[in-house]
């Protein structure tokens, strides 16, 4: 049984005629008759008295009618309530991002989105990758943008952009006059890292481990943000490997320098992460569409 069957039952009762109910519903009379008989089969009882071509409710039908009427009415109200909720939800966008993306990529992108969707209220949560993914899992946010490793197979994960990781050093460093170094020279330097849970750090460590150099590098300092790392490098405290997104402006302003590592290219994907769902709100769809055209927006 479905709501439509109960709705048809109520309509037949209100109109007093199967043929008229069929006309109002743009159905054939046999189709309406079939629905009534199906309803009677479900309840195991006749619902109408049929006499001289006229229908009237019997005792079973009179018992069912007010209940069916209430169910149909409640269903209508439930649809209206959900539609209102959807309309309100479509005016909200909750995004979670890991630090590099949240601080250096998203502000400009969210600004463009806001210009296109002025009535949409935007919430941005910036945390490390594990915390962002936890927020997504608990439905605190609609989607996540992270640079770290995503190990949850229940998420829908797709790359949105490639980000290069670059080696930076102070202006007065001994590498200043050089254009590239050998990767083994990193073992002679003081490396400044993000915190151990940082998605960026995990990726860099994996890349350096693959080159056989990670265990030779001095873990000189750990800082909780890319901005703090940039300030430390500027102050001459050490070197670091960071996202190009985070240092493009600083390099242009000659705050510190980038140096190439011979025969080595560090890169990583930036990921769009969503929960698997049959439905996607329009505000989320619109943002994802803008995100996937990031190079042309």
């Amino acid at each position: 049984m479905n709501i439509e069957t109960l709705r048809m039952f109520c309509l037949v009762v209100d109109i007093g005629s199967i043929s008229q109910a069929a006309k109002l519903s743009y159905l054939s009379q046999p189709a309406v008759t079939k629905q009534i008989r199906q309803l009677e089969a479900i309840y195991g009882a006749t619902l109408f008295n049929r006499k001289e071509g006229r229908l009237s409710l019997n005792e079973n039908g009179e018992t069912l009618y007010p209940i069916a009427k209430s169910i149909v009415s409640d269903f209508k109200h439930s649809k209206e309530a959900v539609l209102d909720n959807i309309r309100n939800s479509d005016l909200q966008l909750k995004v979670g991002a890991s630090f590099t993306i949240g601080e250096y990529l998203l502000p400009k992108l969210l600004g463009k989105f806001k210009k296109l969707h002025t009535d949409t209220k935007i919430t941005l949560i910036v945390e490390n990758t594990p915390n962002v993914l936890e927020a997504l899992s608990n439905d605190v946010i609609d989607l996540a943008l992270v640079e770290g490793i995503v190990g949850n197979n229940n998420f829908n994960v797709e790359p949105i952009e490639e980000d290069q990781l670059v080696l930076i050093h102070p202006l007065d460093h001994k590498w200043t006059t050089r254009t590239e170094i050998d990767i083994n020279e990193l073992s002679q330097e003081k490396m400044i890292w993000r915190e151990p849970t940082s998605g960026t750090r995990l990726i860099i460590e994996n890349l350096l481990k693959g080159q056989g150099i990670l265990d030779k590098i001095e873990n000189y300092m750990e800082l909780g943000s890319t901005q703090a790392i940039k300030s430390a490098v500027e102050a001459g405290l050490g070197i670091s490997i960071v996202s190009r997104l985070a240092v493009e402006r600083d390099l242009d302003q000659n705050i510190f320098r980038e140096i190439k590592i011979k025969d080595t290219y560090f890169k990583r994907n930036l990921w769009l992460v969503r929960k698997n769902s049959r439905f996607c709100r329009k505000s989320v769809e619109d943002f994802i569409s803008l995100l996937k055209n990031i190079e042309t927006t």
Side-chain angles (χ1 to χ4, degrees):
M1 182 181 64
N2 55 41
I3 290 293
E4 192 57 32
T5 303
L6 286 178
R7 189 195 69 79
M8 186 59 67
F9 166 72
C10 293
L11 182 61
V12 170
V13 174
D14 293 338
I15 300 298
S17 166
I18 286 180
S19 61
Q20 288 301 313
K23 286 182 180 179
L24 288 173
S25 302
Y26 300 98
L27 296 172
S28 67
Q29 184 170 332
V32 176
T33 299
K34 182 179 180 181
Q35 288 193 52
I36 298 300
R37 294 196 184 282
Q38 287 176 338
L39 194 62
E40 290 178 327
I42 289 169
Y43 285 105
T46 60
L47 301 173
F48 292 93
N49 293 316
R50 295 171 174 83
K51 187 176 181 180
E52 298 178 356
R54 295 178 60 84
L55 289 178
S56 61
L57 287 175
N58 61 20
E59 185 176 349
N60 298 324
E62 289 177 351
T63 299
L64 176 61
Y65 176 70
I67 300 172
K69 196 80 170 176
S70 177
I71 292 172
V72 171
S73 177
D74 286 346
F75 179 70
K76 179 182 178 182
H77 290 156
S78 72
K79 286 182 66 177
E80 292 171 350
V82 170
L83 287 173
D84 283 343
N85 185 65
I86 291 172
R87 281 191 286 268
N88 291 332
S89 294
D90 277 339
L91 296 178
Q92 299 182 43
L93 177 66
K94 299 176 182 178
V95 180
S98 49
F99 286 107
T100 300
I101 297 175
E103 293 172 356
Y104 299 102
L105 177 64
L106 272 184
K108 184 178 180 180
L109 186 64
L110 289 175
K112 292 181 178 180
F113 181 82
K114 188 67 174 178
K115 288 180 180 179
L116 296 172
H117 307 276
T118 55
D119 294 332
T120 301
K121 179 182 177 182
I122 299 173
T123 301
L124 174 60
I125 296 175
V126 180
E127 287 279 358
N128 61 33
T129 295
N131 288 344
V132 171
L133 296 179
E134 182 179 1
L136 178 63
S137 181
N138 293 328
D139 296 317
V140 176
I141 55 177
D142 299 315
L143 54 88
L145 299 170
V146 299
E147 70 263 20
I149 299 169
V150 181
N152 190 330
N153 293 328
N154 295 321
F155 288 146
N156 183 327
V157 183
E158 56 185 308
I160 54 169
E161 189 177 7
E162 186 178 276
D163 181 33
Q164 184 183 3
L165 300 170
V166 297
L167 175 61
I168 57 174
H169 64 80
L171 293 179
D172 59 356
H173 194 276
K174 62 184 179 181
W175 293 339
T176 299
T177 59
R178 298 173 59 183
T179 57
E180 68 176 17
I181 65 164
D182 185 273
I183 194 168
N184 290 305
E185 293 183 63
L186 294 178
S187 63
Q188 304 166 17
E189 301 298 323
K190 296 177 179 179
M191 182 69 75
I192 302 173
W193 297 94
R194 283 284 304 276
E195 74 280 8
T197 57
S198 162
T200 301
R201 175 167 175 173
L202 292 174
I203 290 169
I204 294 171
E205 285 184 334
N206 285 336
L207 292 170
L208 293 174
K209 186 176 182 180
Q211 297 281 350
I213 189 67
L214 178 62
D215 293 337
K216 301 176 184 178
I217 297 175
E218 178 185 357
N219 186 358
Y220 178 67
M221 186 181 297
E222 293 180 355
L223 298 175
S225 71
T226 301
Q227 184 57 52
I229 288 177
K230 293 195 299 181
S231 297
V233 173
E234 181 184 1
L237 297 179
I239 65 170
S240 189
I241 300 175
V242 294
S243 164
R244 179 172 291 282
L245 283 173
V247 296
E248 282 183 324
R249 185 175 299 178
D250 304 278
L251 293 172
D252 289 341
Q253 295 175 354
N254 203 34
I255 292 175
F256 37 69
R257 290 189 71 241
E258 170 194 354
I259 189 166
K260 307 293 184 183
I261 303 175
K262 185 179 180 180
D263 300 325
T264 302
Y265 181 73
F266 291 152
K267 63 180 180 179
R268 47 95 181 269
N269 281 319
L270 305 181
W271 304 99
L272 165 63
V273 188
R274 290 176 285 170
K275 294 181 74 173
N276 292 312
S277 175
R278 291 172 56 201
F279 303 103
C280 186
R281 298 203 318 270
K282 186 175 184 302
S283 58
V284 177
E285 290 178 342
D286 289 341
F287 180 75
I288 291 174
S289 177
L290 181 62
L291 186 65
K292 290 183 176 180
N293 291 282
I294 190 172
E295 294 183 358
T296 58
T297 54

